[in-house]
Each structure stands twice: as C-alpha cells, then as structure tokens.
Amino acid sequence: MNSKLTCAIAVMTLTVNLGAYADVSLDSCRNMALRNNKTIRLAEEGIRSARYEKKAAFANYLPGIDFTGGYMYNQQQIELLGEDAKLPTMSFDPATQQFKYNILTTPDGTPIKDPSSGSLIPTEVAVIPKEAMEYDTHNVFAGAFTLTQPIFMGGMIKAMNDITKYAENAAVAMKNSAVQDVVYGVDQAYWTVVSLREKKRLADSFVALVDSLNQNVQALLDEGMATRSDLLTVQVSLNQAKIARTKVDNGLSLSRMALAQLCGLPVHTEMTLEDEGGSDDLHRTAPQEVNMSDVYARRSDLEVIRQSINVLGSREKLALGAMLPKVAAVGMYSFSNPNVNHGFEKKFGGGFSVGATITIPLWHWGRDINHYRATQATTNAQRMLLEDLEEKVQLQVSQAQYSFNEAYKTYEMTLSNMASAEENLRSAQLGYMEGVLTTDDVIAAQTAWLAANSEKIDAQIAIRLCDVYLSKVLGTLAP
C-alpha cells in the first residue's frame, strides 16, 4: 500500500513539474522559442534546399552520362532487292592486260545490243538472289550510352552557380531575420508579463488600501462620525478596484499563454519569470552616434535584398549567355539488334563514336535580347527598392533613439510623481482622520497614487521594450 502511495505521489509530482516552470529567464524563453519556432525551422529547410541546389548547379561543370534505349516493332521487313539481281561479269584479257565485260559480239567483234532496252547483252551474269538481301527487322532493339562534356556554354553554367550561391546567402539572411523577429516577439511578450505581474501587485495593494479605508469609514459610521453616503462612495471605489484587479488577472493569464505559445510550450503552462520580482536596472542609454553603413551591413532584411540583387545580376548573365554559342564534346557507344554494323545479324552489336557539337543562335525575333533587357530592368528596380529601404531604416533608427531617450525621461518624471503621490496620500489620510478632508479627497489621493505607480511600471517596461526595438533596428539583437 505504501509503495502504491509513493508511486502516485511521484507521478503527481512529475506532472506538476512538467506543467510548471519556475524562475524562467529571458534567455531561456528566447532559447525555447528559437528551438520550437516553425518559421525558423522552415527557414532552415530553405537553407538546406539552397545548398542542394548549389551542389546541383556545380554538377553542370562535370560530364553527364546518359543511357537511351528503345524497342520498335515494324510490320514490314527490309528488302533491298525487288527481284533477283543479275550482274555482268568481267574476264582478264592477256593481250590488253585489262579486265573486259563478257558481252555478246558479232564474228567481227562488234557488241550486240538488246533491241528493246538498247543495253549490251552479257554472255555471263552473276546472280544475287532476292532472298539474300532480305533482313528481318520486325523486332528492333536499340540503345546508346552518351557522355556529354560542356566546353563553353556562354557563361550560363557559372551564372547558375552564382545564382545558387547568392540564393543560399539569401536563405541564411532570411533565417537570421526570422530569428531576430522571434527574439523581438519573445522579449515583448516577456516584458508584458512582467509589467502585468507588477500591475497585479499594484492592484492587490490598491484593493487593500481602499478596503482599509472602507473599514475605517464603516467604523466611523458606527460611531456616528461619518455618513452613509461616505460609506457608499468608498464601497463603489472598492468595487471598481476589484474589477480593475480582475481585468489585470485576466490580462496576465492571457499574456502568460501568449509567452508560452511563443516558447513552443502548451498555452496553459505555468511560468514564473525571473524578472517578476521587479528590477530597476535601467542604467543603459541609447547610442547617439550611429554608423549607418554598419547598420545596413548588419540588417538581415537588407541582406536579403542585397542577395536578391546579386541573383538578378546573375540572371542577366544567364540571359546574355542564351545569345552566345555553346560548344560541347560528345562520346557515344551505340548498339542495336539486329546489328546494323554486321549485316543485320540477329544479335546485339555496336561501336564507339566521338565528336563535338556547337550551337549558334542566329535569329529568334528579338526573344533573347528582350528577355535580357527585362532582367536588367528587374535588377534596377530591386536596387531602387534597396535604396528606399535604407532610407526607411535610417528613419527607424532615429525614431528608436528618440523613443528610447523619451522613455528614460518619462521614467524619471514618474519617480518624482510617485514621491508626490505618496506624500499626497499620506496627507489625505491624516486629513481625513482629523476631519479636515472628506472621503472623496482620500479616494482621489488613492487614485492618484495608483496612477503614479502604474505610470512608473509602464515607463520601466517602455524602457525595456525601446531597448529591444533599438537593438533590432540597429541589427545588434542576438539570441
């Protein structure tokens, strides 16, 4: 029985541990998100695909070996003669030391011609039977092994290799851009949870503060020193504070779900963040001098555009290569059955052959030149897009710097406002206890205290978020 109880407790403990994370740091959230984010995994597959394409393009430099085979059934066979062929013969004449045709002559040696055709009449003939020149080609098998080695393809092979290289660089840049987007989203969600957790503490403190006032007014009412209206006013304020706390609780739960989803965890995972205890480590300042050339070089989104420009430039060379001659060396071993090299013998036979091919484009009605001009126009458009994006990045950097400095100034003012609000609340409470001020004055002081504390929390989180955004636009945000 004890062993069963121990196992049950162990299972419950394991379940709780799997569903809860304590003191999770910002770096841990980033790492979990990067491991589980599907966009990054898709980008990694894009890199893998680009690398395979690069290897495939390099293979075009190497000779290609192909096999071609076929079978054909022919209804008719080959018959080189329509009938028996009769060929005249020749005899050697010792007197003239030459060969002469054996033809029919008169006694005086005059050749006799056939009256119907006018041709000479041979006295002897060599007969080639019609059947001897008939070949069975009803079933024909043929095949060839071909080796092709490109020699000059108009620069198209090099252009294709350059395209795949730039495409791989673009895929890497796209992944880096996706990583920065994920990190930025996680940071936003993380600090939103921290902000709402601080506001929940503030809401709890405010409810306790108003509830304390409610109890004091109730005691004064019982002693006849306060009116029913004073109590109702405080109770309305207490109900409003509880409603506000409920909204904060709901917002905190939803923000935790959003952060868990970004981290690749189940949305109902309980996560306690490392910075939920509150931290005033806000001593960083925005850089005033920024080298925009370095910013452009670090920005992954701009790198994607730069690599696409390189790809389009290589496509220009590809289009130009289509207008240039192509030269290749060819080697082949071909065979057939019947063997055409050996009297249509009914077995396989063949032989080797080597050569070279050249293709020279002559006239295609402007197709290739217009395609080349189209690629040039596309490349120019992409260059203009890059210039426009660089101008927008410069504006982004300026805005981020101003927002960062403004957030710091706002935070400093909220510290002053908090001090004033706390003193005002203390004075209002003392004034109410001495009968100088009303409950409305105390509630107003409490509301001002709540607003000052809430503004301080917002200012703290704004500094964090502005810092993250500034790092993102500067291209220095790294996991």
Side-chain angles (χ1 to χ4, degrees), residues 100-253:
K100 292 183 179 180
Y101 282 102
N102 299 318
I103 59 176
L104 183 64
T105 61
T106 60
D108 59 359
T110 303
I112 299 176
K113 295 183 178 181
D114 186 352
S116 60
S117 63
S119 60
L120 298 176
I121 301 174
T123 57
E124 296 179 2
V125 294
V127 178
I128 301 178
K130 174 180 177 294
E131 292 79 6
M133 302 301 290
E134 293 178 356
Y135 303 101
D136 182 8
T137 55
H138 290 297
N139 299 288
V140 178
F141 301 87
F145 290 94
T146 305
L147 183 145
T148 305
Q149 173 60 61
I151 297 176
F152 177 73
M153 295 287 113
M156 297 179 69
I157 295 179
K158 184 179 184 305
M160 281 300 302
N161 276 269
D162 290 341
I163 287 174
T164 55
K165 179 182 70 174
Y166 297 138
E168 181 184 4
N169 295 339
V172 173
M174 290 176 66
K175 179 195 172 182
N176 294 337
S177 180
V179 167
Q180 288 195 345
D181 289 340
V182 169
V183 170
Y184 180 64
V186 169
D187 283 22
Q188 281 188 311
Y190 182 92
W191 292 117
T192 298
V193 172
V194 173
S195 171
L196 291 174
R197 185 66 183 88
E198 291 301 309
K199 288 191 174 182
K200 174 176 170 54
R201 288 195 182 95
L202 179 62
D204 291 338
S205 299
F206 184 68
V207 169
L209 186 65
V210 179
D211 185 57
S212 175
L213 177 62
N214 179 61
Q215 294 176 6
N216 292 335
V217 172
Q218 180 67 53
L220 292 174
L221 178 64
D222 294 341
E223 296 177 3
M225 299 177 62
T227 64
R228 182 70 178 173
S229 176
D230 292 336
L231 181 61
L232 292 176
T233 300
V234 174
Q235 288 178 343
V236 169
S237 180
L238 179 59
N239 290 333
Q240 290 174 342
K242 290 180 179 179
I243 292 173
R245 182 175 63 180
T246 301
K247 291 181 178 179
V248 171
D249 288 339
N250 293 337
L252 179 59
S253 298

Side-chain angles (χ1 to χ4, degrees), residues 344-418:
F344 288 90
E345 187 180 10
K346 293 291 289 182
K347 64 180 181 180
F348 284 100
F352 290 97
S353 57
V354 294
T357 63
I358 180 171
T359 303
I360 303 176
L362 296 178
W363 183 254
H364 296 281
W365 304 99
R367 179 195 65 189
D368 295 334
I369 187 64
N370 287 323
H371 179 60
Y372 175 65
R373 290 169 179 168
T375 57
Q376 285 182 315
T378 305
T379 305
N380 293 334
Q382 199 74 355
R383 287 194 181 99
M384 288 187 284
L385 174 62
L386 178 60
E387 293 176 0
D388 181 61
L389 290 177
E390 286 178 347
E391 293 175 358
K392 291 180 179 178
V393 166
Q394 188 172 10
L395 180 61
Q396 275 185 336
V397 171
S398 299
Q399 290 176 335
Q401 286 179 312
Y402 288 136
S403 298
F404 192 90
N405 293 327
E406 181 180 346
Y408 258 105
K409 293 178 181 178
T410 302
Y411 175 68
E412 292 173 352
M413 287 187 290
T414 59
L415 294 179
S416 176
N417 292 341
M418 270 196 61

Side-chain angles (χ1 to χ4, degrees), residues 265-277:
L265 301 174
V267 293
H268 295 291
T269 302
E270 291 293 332
M271 298 176 63
T272 303
L273 305 184
E274 187 178 61
D275 292 285
E276 286 188 28

